[in-house]
Amino acid sequence: MKIAVTAASGQLGAAIVKATVALTSKQNVIALARSPEKAKHLGVEVRLGDYNQVEQLEQSLQSVDVVLLVSGMDAPDKRIGQHRNVINAAKKAGVKKIVYTSVQGAEENTAFSPVIQSNRQTEQDIKDSGLDWVIGRNGIYIEPDVEYIENYKKAGKITNCAGDGKCGYTIRDELAYAYAHMLTETKHHGQTYNLHGEALSQYQLAEYLNQAFDANLSYQPMSVANYRLDRIEELGEFIGSVIAGIYQGIAEGKSDNPSHYQQAAGRAHQTWPDYFNHLKQQQ
């Protein structure tokens, strides 16, 4: 069975390639990338894979049985068509199954909602494709908070507009493990899985970060409007607004969903005490 992973030069795509190789073999996995040289380090066959190039995608998906479609990074209105390019190319190339990395979040009334809506449209397009399918709805990555630790320490606090809301966080390597099983096992066909670990509040996240990094952070909630302005100042209008929308959704409970990680992966998600203890040992 040949499995192709799109966006393989990205962090999630690369992690899924590695996890799938570990579960199968290098000969079974093909990495698709817009810039193939950026995926050479994965040690598998690399083919061109630009979401905007339908004929190229069709050629690159020849001899492939299963394709992992990593949700694109373009603006929401462009993503739908780009994803359809992959779906249509897969059908023409004779691919039998698509696995899609979707996302959880508020489907309306936040600045992140257009991204969620574009993901939901792709989910429907995949269901309508006539191919076997599995959909994963990823939780929020916890790694950016870990990578931001020096900034948090400098400020002495975590500030955002999540309030008391809980968030189903996850880790890229845990997602990759689940997707490798979703790609290779037929029992998942027709399933939509929420993929995340135990949901955490921002207060709990601050405590875990304190323990792992010997910090003294507190969590201080902000209004959506003020947090949006704060993020725009650092990251620009589009990304700043989207991030504020993500945390608004957390405040509204849209990221606190039942997790299906165990069903998808065949084992429990790594616990947060284990994850943060490991980080502490690395210090």
Side-chain angles (χ1 to χ4, degrees), residues 40-174:
K40 292 289 186 190
H41 68 283
L42 296 170
V44 298
E45 180 185 351
V46 182
R47 299 179 185 175
L48 277 165
D50 186 329
Y51 290 0
N52 292 305
Q53 304 293 328
V54 187
E55 291 181 4
Q56 176 200 99
L57 285 165
E58 189 181 336
Q59 188 62 39
S60 293
L61 290 173
Q62 295 298 319
S63 77
V64 169
D65 301 293
V66 183
V67 64
L68 186 286
L69 172 55
V70 174
S71 184
M73 297 296 289
D74 220 325
D77 57 334
K78 293 181 180 177
R79 289 186 199 199
I80 293 169
Q82 291 170 340
H83 294 162
R84 283 175 179 162
N85 287 343
V86 179
I87 296 165
N88 293 331
K91 288 172 69 174
K92 288 179 182 175
V95 171
K96 298 178 179 66
K97 170 179 169 180
I98 296 182
V99 180
Y100 177 52
T101 73
S102 191
V103 69
Q104 300 173 47
E107 295 185 7
E108 51 189 26
N109 300 325
T110 80
F112 188 48
S113 298
V115 174
I116 299 293
Q117 291 164 10
S118 72
N119 277 264
R120 297 292 176 268
Q121 182 59 59
T122 295
E123 291 178 17
Q124 192 59 51
D125 290 343
I126 288 169
K127 291 175 184 179
D128 293 340
S129 70
L131 304 179
D132 289 325
W133 57 268
V134 193
I135 291 164
R137 291 181 175 174
N138 299 347
I140 301 296
Y141 297 150
I142 207 161
E143 290 97 333
D145 284 289
V146 172
E147 291 159 7
Y148 208 68
I149 187 63
E150 293 306 320
N151 299 69
Y152 285 147
K153 279 183 171 182
K154 198 172 177 180
K157 59 189 177 184
I158 297 173
T159 55
N160 57 50
C161 59
D164 294 328
K166 287 198 168 187
C167 177
Y169 283 104
T170 189
I171 309 158
R172 288 187 188 93
D173 283 348
E174 288 294 270

